Amino acid sequence: MADSCDILISGGGIAGLIAAATFGAAGFDVICVDPTPPVTARDDAGADLRTTAILQPAKALLQVAGIWAYLESHAAPLEVMRIIDAGGAEPEARVVKDFKSADISDQPFGWNLPNWLLRRELLARLNELDRVDFRPGLGTANLFTRTQSAQVTLSDGTQVSARLVLACDGRDSPMRRAANIPVRTTRYGQKALAFAVIHDLPHQNVSTEIHRSGGPFTLVPLPDHDGKPSSAIVWMERGPRAQALHQMEADDFEVEMNRRSCGALGQLRLASRRSIWPIISQSAARMSGERVALMAEAAHVVPPIGAQGLNMSLGDLRVLLDLAQSRPERLGDATMMEAYHKARHGDILMRVKGIDLLNRTSMLSPRPLRDLRAFGLNALYSLAPVRKTLMQMGLGVK
């Protein structure tokens, strides 16, 4: 006999775990599966060393789901977004512009947390929720849908009957493929390095994005590490250069890292191992199919610019939750799935295209084009209404 639930979530990454906690707290019966058990300690093999910024609108959702109480004490506020253009002959800051959260709100832009820690605290929240059954070590294998329900076969042969299948299973989503929803993918020939550092100067809750060529070098505030100021870094470069950096001895890598940082936080020293992953943009042709909703990287993938990735995912979740709670008897039916697609698809396409443009601009190599980029940054910043609108759009409130 098949197990049954209201919602089967395929994928137990950060987005999937948040979705499980949110729907469980809202009174829905949830089963969440992921073939890879979460790694929840910073220095364990496989730990995700990237960080995630929880922006203002996302915080409200996490509070309702009872998640924010687990995260608040670990979070580093993001009060200033600093953009530096270092596209001159030498890697030196030539244009520095600060976008301040105080200009549009009495709260920070967001709060930054390491991904491994997010997973740890989300699991702690799930353990409190009787309506959530998390099954790490299991994946989804097959999908069969009817107008009234979906039947999912798990990797151990177990069958689960659900009213809604929520695909949070990554850019190669097996549930998206099973639902025959195509995707459009853009490859940039870039890779990103992620690692943590300690540094001489306090970050003062400023997230700093340095543009030269190959992609941005971004320093994001973290809580102090071993009593010293600490930041997470995402360093995007063209593939061969990124691979060479990843393979360097630590001492040589630190030399290159400090040169690329333009001394923004003084001397940087590695405080973690380095991870590397490819950069793509991707968007699904539809956000839904019969009894299936796509969310997070199953629906959209963007380069790590402007803290948009998870916050776009939580935008998906807000819409799904609102639809599910407004008409719970219609959970997963064709009307709900069509409403979800219409509510999210246009905004996602706009953001994917916008971040694609920002990334291509950050990759510029020819000096005249880098000079034009610096001119554009100055022009946008000098127009206060434009600057305010850009900040609001980044938060997802316009």
Side-chain angles (χ1 to χ4, degrees), residues 66-387:
I67 297 169
W68 185 248
Y70 285 85
L71 304 180
E72 187 170 14
S73 65
H74 304 289
L78 303 176
E79 295 174 349
V80 176
M81 299 288 194
R82 178 169 294 154
I83 308 296
I84 296 177
D85 186 274
E90 295 295 324
E92 299 172 351
R94 58 177 181 170
V95 178
V96 181
K97 300 298 180 184
D98 285 355
F99 295 81
K100 299 177 181 179
S101 63
D103 290 344
I104 59 170
S105 172
D106 59 357
Q107 296 186 69
F109 286 120
W111 297 263
N112 201 60
L113 296 112
N115 285 2
W116 62 265
L117 185 145
L118 267 171
R119 287 181 169 86
R120 185 189 74 192
E121 299 305 311
L122 287 167
L123 290 180
R125 174 58 178 148
L126 289 186
N127 286 336
E128 290 188 338
L129 295 168
D130 294 337
R131 289 183 174 270
V132 178
D133 179 4
F134 179 46
R135 304 181 185 181
L138 292 178
T140 49
N142 293 296
L143 171 69
F144 175 72
T145 62
R146 296 168 292 192
T147 57
Q148 298 300 314
S149 66
Q151 186 167 288
V152 178
T153 303
L154 305 183
S155 53
D156 66 349
T158 300
Q159 292 188 331
V160 177
S161 177
R163 297 167 65 197
L164 171 65
V165 175
L166 183 52
C168 294
D169 41 8
R171 57 186 66 181
D172 298 318
S173 168
M175 288 293 96
R176 185 189 64 224
R177 290 198 305 270
N180 295 313
I181 300 175
V183 294
R184 179 177 179 178
T185 303
T186 300
R187 304 186 186 280
Y188 300 97
Q190 284 172 297
K191 293 183 185 295
L193 296 161
F195 50 95
V197 296
I198 54 175
H199 39 81
D200 295 335
L201 304 177
H203 50 59
Q204 298 180 317
N205 297 326
V206 176
S207 176
T208 303
E209 198 170 276
I210 305 169
H211 294 262
R212 183 164 171 78
S213 65
F217 181 100
T218 305
L219 301 109
V220 185
L222 289 176
D224 288 358
H225 179 65
D226 291 339
K228 298 176 182 177
S230 181
S231 294
I233 292 180
V234 175
W235 183 358
M236 293 165 58
E237 283 284 0
R238 296 186 185 276
R241 170 65 171 158
Q243 201 66 50
L245 289 165
H246 186 238
Q247 294 171 354
M248 279 183 183
E249 295 294 330
D251 289 347
D252 294 333
F253 179 79
E254 287 189 345
V255 170
E256 295 297 323
M257 170 180 69
N258 278 288
R259 178 175 166 80
R260 185 65 176 81
S261 75
C262 300
L265 292 175
Q267 188 73 12
L268 309 180
R269 292 173 292 282
L270 269 175
S272 75
R273 62 180 177 83
R274 290 160 275 171
S275 62
I276 188 169
W277 79 98
I279 299 299
I280 66 169
S281 284
Q282 186 167 279
S283 57
R286 288 191 57 81
M287 294 293 292
S288 61
E290 186 176 59
R291 292 282 162 184
V292 176
L294 307 186
M295 180 182 147
E297 288 201 340
H300 42 76
V301 182
V302 292
I305 295 175
Q308 292 298 300
L310 181 67
N311 292 279
M312 289 169 64
S313 305
L314 298 187
D316 302 340
L317 180 56
R318 276 195 299 273
V319 171
L320 282 169
L321 181 65
D322 288 346
L323 290 168
Q325 290 183 311
S326 65
R327 296 290 297 273
E329 74 280 3
R330 306 201 70 161
L331 178 68
D333 73 5
T335 300
M336 177 182 171
M337 293 298 89
E338 184 61 23
Y340 173 57
H341 169 74
K342 288 181 177 179
R344 291 298 295 148
H345 198 235
D347 180 71
I348 285 166
L349 291 181
M350 179 189 73
R351 289 181 184 276
V352 169
K353 289 176 181 177
I355 295 168
D356 172 84
L357 178 61
L358 289 173
N359 188 40
R360 292 183 187 279
T361 301
S362 76
M363 293 174 66
L364 294 173
S365 295
R367 276 286 305 282
L369 293 179
R370 283 157 39 188
D371 292 344
L372 185 62
R373 179 182 65 202
F375 174 81
L377 175 60
N378 260 326
L380 286 173
Y381 187 86
S382 66
L383 299 170
V386 174
R387 184 170 71 247

